[in-house]
Amino acid sequence: MNEYLPGLAGVPATQSNISDIDGENGILFYRGYPIEELAEYSSFEETSRLLLDGRLPTAAELADFTCQLNENRRIKFHTRGMMKNLPASGHPMEMLQTVVASLGMFYPGSDCLTGGDACRDLDYIHNTTVKIMARLPCIVTMWEHIRNGYDPIEPRTDLGYAENFLYMLNGKEPDPLLAEIMDVCLILHAEHTINASTFAVLVNASTLANPYTVMAAAIGALSGPLHGGANQRVLEMLKEIGTPDKAEEYVDKKLANKEVIWGMGHREYKTKDPRATILQGLMDKFMAARGGDLNPMFEVAKAVEAVCEDRLAKKGVYANVDFYSGLLYSEMGIPADQFTTIFAIARSAGWLAHWREQLSDNRIFRPTQVYTGEPRRSYVPISKR
Amino acid sequence: MNEYLPGLAGVPATQSNISDIDGENGILFYRGYPIEELAEYSSFEETSRLLLDGRLPTAAELADFTCQLNENRRIKFHTRGMMKNLPASGHPMEMLQTVVASLGMFYPGSDCLTGGDACRDLDYIHNTTVKIMARLPCIVTMWEHIRNGYDPIEPRTDLGYAENFLYMLNGKEPDPLLAEIMDVCLILHAEHTINASTFAVLVNASTLANPYTVMAAAIGALSGPLHGGANQRVLEMLKEIGTPDKAEEYVDKKLANKEVIWGMGHREYKTKDPRATILQGLMDKFMAARGGDLNPMFEVAKAVEAVCEDRLAKKGVYANVDFYSGLLYSEMGIPADQFTTIFAIARSAGWLAHWREQLSDNRIFRPTQVYTGEPRRSYVPISKR
């Protein structure tokens, strides 16, 4: 009998080739490649193909994959019709789960997954991967327009993944530096070993459910406030602080009261989250490029970062990826309640890689329970209760 | 370091008070009560309340709960509008996941789940439970009409849970014996410890995601062919056999070829699945009541059951609950691809009980992985691949 560990903390639930974390040294690897190198030299399209296939694509493979992603951006008017029936006040993550769940009805074919323990229909797997990854940013940006009462902006096939997302969101071609930052943000969020949403992928995939259904489950898990959503809170915190001179007092008060400072610390890293270091560099680059014409929240963030570095670095607590991403997203014209949908767009690459991996050596998840309830007892008629 | 066990087989993932299985003796308990007693004396409404609260309700509590379930059957026209945009050819489980995922947008309020490790807003929990349980059968039956191009049939508030489901499906009050059988089927499928879909509930609930989102994840897991759907295959098998005299040859050929005979055996039970015994009795009762005017598949089923009993009982393999349920559902006018949605309707009681239990002592699921991938390597420029 194995020991019961709440949340399965420390219990290995899968064997995986996809990513690895060296928490002591603050290193994150995708398929063996350090995240710093991918952020510097790769693109989200290439990194996705790496995560999915296990190796960097050749030039021809990458061109092919990019073309497929670009050509699969059209969304059926039925989906638009569905969206128009959803309340504008609903959370975008709920919208995304709803729409992704529906896609399997439009694109059947998962019967090939029923043939045995492992799915061998690699065409189906690849085509579905493209369909999902290409459509997610389109769905998210369509909703942004529809919930505000406007018709969505049609996708373009001549723009890269990050560029087209920002184009469909704002209706104009994005600032190249912001598009580059978005591309890096997508790379940084594409995969992070087994957390609750990736675990939800494994559990659902193990029943051989269709991949849209599997992705809908993962989006649901990511929507939970204990999982996604911290960058939205960082932004709210910065607004609450208001000006750089208030940062020290705010941080010290929070620390004295043992309250959370959003965007600080990560359970997996004993040193600085390597993704945060990358984003910090991009933020500095953006601030330098923008010069005086800058959202004042950036200065507040720099001040909070400096105070926290002074107070917390000796305890191994540093700013994490959420500390920087919300502020940058906000500069791109993205509303705060859409930050987690961007996380989902990026993580779709990792989720789909785990879906493939689960299918390749599948066993249905069926853990046990420790029964702590009533012993056997007899039914009592309602008149005698 | 814990051992890696594929599918977490034998690994305890939760402590639970809700149900227990004694596989050696073929006993299933809900909150300590044997399933036979609940099938005989209880109703689905009462059993649900038992699963949710941990005790049999008083007469007043049951009346209150039944009234709430009856009064919460109305579905917004927005949901109908969504459904009209879904393709009729899609699987009803995908429809159900889609619509349930959307409900959280219409019924917000899960912010109360964010306050801490445990949710204390019992009113929200109870009201959401009622909303979900009351609406599921309405959604399923609405879809049956909409996918055939007809307007759905409005729910009635004067019919019990099982009765109203059959009424909304067929547009007329059901045969009382069939309504009784449906009620028992719902009781029998309401809960069954930790399988993949219930585990999906725990994983998603642990992020404090909203309960509609959690249920959508569970519906997704249940939709997988390795999980739900066996009763549909039993029905197809009986049709393939065609007449009772072909049963012996069919079974012996399957056994000789080591092929699956659908509806036989259950991994949890070494003896006969207690739910199958109950359904067998109901099927016999139905056959006696119907007399000569009977679907010939019933006689085929009895013949298969007799041959299998002779060949397999000595190995501890008996007919399971799926062997009987599909045939009975078919008699109620339910299409085979809707059988798994009925499973979801019934299991919603158990899923919601597990959702409550998870919230009451929550820790986010974050198991680990055994990394088996590439060691650290350096990025290779695309021109050198």
Side-chain angles (χ1 to χ4, degrees), chain B residues 25-102:
Chain B
N25 298 301
I27 313 180
L28 169 63
F29 303 98
Y30 292 174
R31 300 286 190 180
Y33 298 103
I35 191 69
E36 290 84 356
E37 295 186 20
L38 295 169
E40 173 108 26
Y41 304 117
S42 188
S43 65
F44 179 63
E45 289 92 327
E46 185 183 77
T47 297
S48 299
R49 191 78 202 243
L50 167 68
L51 287 167
L52 293 162
D53 295 344
R55 61 179 177 77
L56 288 166
T58 63
E61 287 168 341
L62 180 58
D64 200 38
F65 185 56
T66 301
C67 176
Q68 290 170 342
L69 286 175
N70 294 3
E71 297 290 346
N72 269 279
R73 288 178 180 155
R74 292 178 76 198
I75 306 285
K76 288 181 198 271
F77 62 76
H78 295 294
T79 298
R80 209 162 62 231
M82 271 182 61
M83 283 189 184
K84 288 180 181 173
N85 279 293
L86 297 174
S89 56
H91 197 281
M93 283 296 278
E94 297 169 341
M95 175 286 301
L96 193 60
Q97 188 188 35
T98 301
V99 173
V100 169
S102 78

Side-chain angles (χ1 to χ4, degrees), chain A residues 161-182:
Chain A
Y161 195 92
E163 277 178 305
N164 180 64
F165 171 70
L166 292 174
Y167 167 75
M168 287 183 73
L169 187 73
N170 294 316
K172 58 181 187 220
E173 288 186 27
D175 173 285
L177 178 55
L178 284 178
E180 180 198 323
I181 292 173
M182 173 54 78

Side-chain angles (χ1 to χ4, degrees), chain A residues 122-368:
Chain A
L122 297 180
D123 279 349
Y124 174 77
I125 290 183
H126 179 77
N127 292 340
T128 308
T129 299
V130 167
K131 276 199 180 67
I132 292 172
M133 287 194 61
R135 280 165 176 75
L136 283 179
C138 306
I139 293 166
V140 167
T141 52
M142 277 177 67
W143 176 244
E144 188 55 36
H145 295 286
I146 288 176
R147 71 168 169 170
N148 285 302
Y150 295 106
D151 283 316
I153 290 164
E154 288 297 305
R156 276 174 49 178
T157 55
D158 61 332
L159 298 176
Y161 195 92
E163 277 178 305
N164 180 64
F165 171 70
L166 292 174
Y167 167 75
M168 287 183 73
L169 187 73
N170 294 316
K172 58 181 187 220
E173 288 186 27
D175 173 285
L177 178 55
L178 284 178
E180 180 198 323
I181 292 173
M182 173 54 78
D183 189 61
V184 174
C185 285
L186 293 174
I187 292 173
L188 300 183
H189 286 89
E191 164 63 12
H192 207 249
T193 74
I194 309 300
N195 53 20
S197 59
T198 300
F199 190 41
V201 168
L202 305 185
V203 172
N204 276 53
S206 79
T207 71
L208 301 184
N210 85 53
Y212 305 97
T213 285
V214 172
M215 296 297 280
I219 292 164
L222 186 63
S223 77
L226 293 191
H227 193 343
N231 48 7
Q232 180 173 349
R233 287 174 172 164
V234 171
L235 201 64
E236 289 159 2
M237 177 184 78
L238 296 178
K239 284 185 183 154
E240 188 188 336
I241 297 172
T243 52
D245 59 300
K246 302 273 174 56
E248 186 165 4
E249 185 192 338
Y250 179 91
V251 169
D252 285 335
K253 196 172 162 189
K254 285 280 174 188
L255 291 176
N257 293 338
K258 294 187 192 298
E259 287 178 322
V260 171
I261 301 171
W262 293 105
M264 292 291 146
H266 193 291
R267 58 193 285 175
E268 297 286 331
Y269 297 104
K270 306 259 180 275
T271 176
K272 190 158 186 171
D273 179 342
R275 302 169 298 174
T277 308
I278 297 164
L279 277 185
Q280 187 180 24
L282 286 173
M283 196 168 97
D284 291 343
K285 187 172 168 186
F286 177 74
M287 289 174 75
R290 196 54 70 96
D293 179 24
L294 199 69
N295 181 331
M297 288 307 110
F298 279 93
E299 295 298 342
V300 180
K302 296 304 288 182
V304 171
E305 183 190 65
V307 180
C308 287
E309 179 97 10
D310 181 68
R311 310 290 199 271
L312 297 171
K314 52 189 175 251
K315 294 180 185 172
V317 174
Y318 297 86
N320 62 37
V321 69
D322 297 315
F323 186 75
Y324 303 98
S325 59
L327 199 47
L328 289 164
Y329 292 160
S330 180
E331 277 305 294
M332 297 169 194
I334 303 166
D337 68 350
Q338 289 270 30
F339 292 172
T340 315
T341 58
I342 301 176
F343 191 168
I345 291 168
R347 187 57 55 89
S348 69
W351 287 336
L352 287 162
H354 283 279
W355 169 60
R356 291 179 179 210
E357 192 171 71
Q358 181 66 32
L359 289 181
S360 72
D361 185 21
N362 191 48
R363 172 145 181 188
I364 191 168
F365 277 89
R366 207 181 197 296
T368 61

Side-chain angles (χ1 to χ4, degrees), chain B residues 264-321:
Chain B
M264 291 291 147
H266 193 293
R267 59 194 284 174
E268 297 286 331
Y269 297 104
K270 306 258 179 278
T271 176
K272 190 159 186 172
D273 179 343
R275 302 169 300 173
T277 308
I278 296 164
L279 277 185
Q280 187 179 25
L282 286 173
M283 196 168 96
D284 290 344
K285 188 173 167 184
F286 177 75
M287 290 175 75
R290 197 53 71 95
D293 179 24
L294 199 69
N295 180 331
M297 289 306 112
F298 279 93
E299 295 298 344
V300 180
K302 297 304 289 182
V304 172
E305 182 191 66
V307 180
C308 288
E309 179 96 11
D310 180 69
R311 310 289 199 272
L312 297 172
K314 54 189 174 250
K315 295 180 183 170
V317 174
Y318 297 86
N320 62 37
V321 68

Side-chain angles (χ1 to χ4, degrees), chain A residues 1-20 27 29 31-34 37-38 41-42 46 50 54-59 62 77-78 81-82 84-87 89-91 94-95 97-98 101-102 104-106 110 113-114 117 143 192-196 199-200 203-204 206-210 212-213 216-217 220-227 233 266-268 354 362-380 382 385, chain B residues 1-20 27 29 31-34 37-38 41-42 46 50 54-59 62 77-78 81-82 84-87 89-91 94-95 97-98 101-102 104-106 110 114 117 143 192-196 199-200 203-204 206-210 212-213 216-217 220-227 233 266-268 354 362-380 382 385:
Chain A
M1 185 70 179
N2 291 277
E3 188 189 356
Y4 166 58
L5 293 163
L8 293 170
V11 177
T14 190
Q15 287 185 324
S16 181
N17 293 338
I18 300 170
S19 66
D20 193 23
I27 313 180
F29 304 97
R31 301 285 192 181
Y33 298 103
E37 295 186 19
L38 295 169
Y41 304 116
S42 188
E46 183 183 78
L50 167 68
R55 60 178 178 78
L56 288 166
T58 63
L62 180 58
F77 62 76
H78 296 294
M82 271 182 62
K84 289 181 181 172
N85 280 292
L86 297 174
S89 56
H91 196 282
E94 296 170 341
M95 176 286 301
Q97 188 188 36
T98 301
S102 79
M105 300 181 78
F106 294 100
S110 65
L113 301 179
T114 67
D117 275 347
W143 176 244
H192 207 249
T193 74
I194 309 300
N195 53 20
F199 190 41
V203 172
N204 276 53
S206 79
T207 71
L208 301 184
N210 85 53
Y212 305 97
T213 285
L222 186 63
S223 77
L226 293 191
H227 193 343
R233 287 174 172 164
H266 193 291
R267 58 193 285 175
E268 297 286 331
H354 283 279
N362 191 48
R363 172 145 181 188
I364 191 168
F365 277 89
R366 207 181 197 296
T368 61
Q369 64 175 18
V370 179
Y371 183 66
T372 48
E374 294 284 334
R376 179 173 183 151
R377 49 185 172 169
S378 286
Y379 187 83
V380 179
I382 199 159
R385 287 176 207 158
Chain B
M1 186 69 181
N2 292 276
E3 188 188 356
Y4 166 58
L5 294 163
L8 293 170
V11 177
T14 189
Q15 287 184 323
S16 182
N17 293 337
I18 300 170
S19 67
D20 194 24
I27 313 180
F29 303 98
R31 300 286 190 180
Y33 298 103
E37 295 186 20
L38 295 169
Y41 304 117
S42 188
E46 185 183 77
L50 167 68
R55 61 179 177 77
L56 288 166
T58 63
L62 180 58
F77 62 76
H78 295 294
M82 271 182 61
K84 288 180 181 173
N85 279 293
L86 297 174
S89 56
H91 197 281
E94 297 169 341
M95 175 286 301
Q97 188 188 35
T98 301
S102 78
M105 300 182 78
F106 294 101
S110 64
T114 67
D117 275 348
W143 175 245
H192 207 249
T193 73
I194 309 299
N195 53 20
F199 190 41
V203 172
N204 277 52
S206 79
T207 71
L208 302 184
N210 85 54
Y212 305 98
T213 285
L222 187 64
S223 77
L226 293 190
H227 193 342
R233 287 175 172 163
H266 193 293
R267 59 194 284 174
E268 297 286 331
H354 283 279
N362 190 48
R363 171 144 182 189
I364 192 167
F365 276 89
R366 207 180 199 296
T368 61
Q369 65 177 16
V370 179
Y371 182 66
T372 48
E374 294 286 334
R376 178 172 184 153
R377 49 183 171 169
S378 286
Y379 187 84
V380 179
I382 198 158
R385 288 176 208 158

Side-chain angles (χ1 to χ4, degrees), chain B residues 235-254:
Chain B
L235 201 65
E236 289 160 2
M237 175 185 79
L238 296 177
K239 284 183 182 155
E240 186 188 337
I241 298 172
T243 53
D245 59 298
K246 302 273 174 57
E248 186 164 3
E249 186 191 337
Y250 179 91
V251 169
D252 285 335
K253 195 172 163 189
K254 286 279 175 189

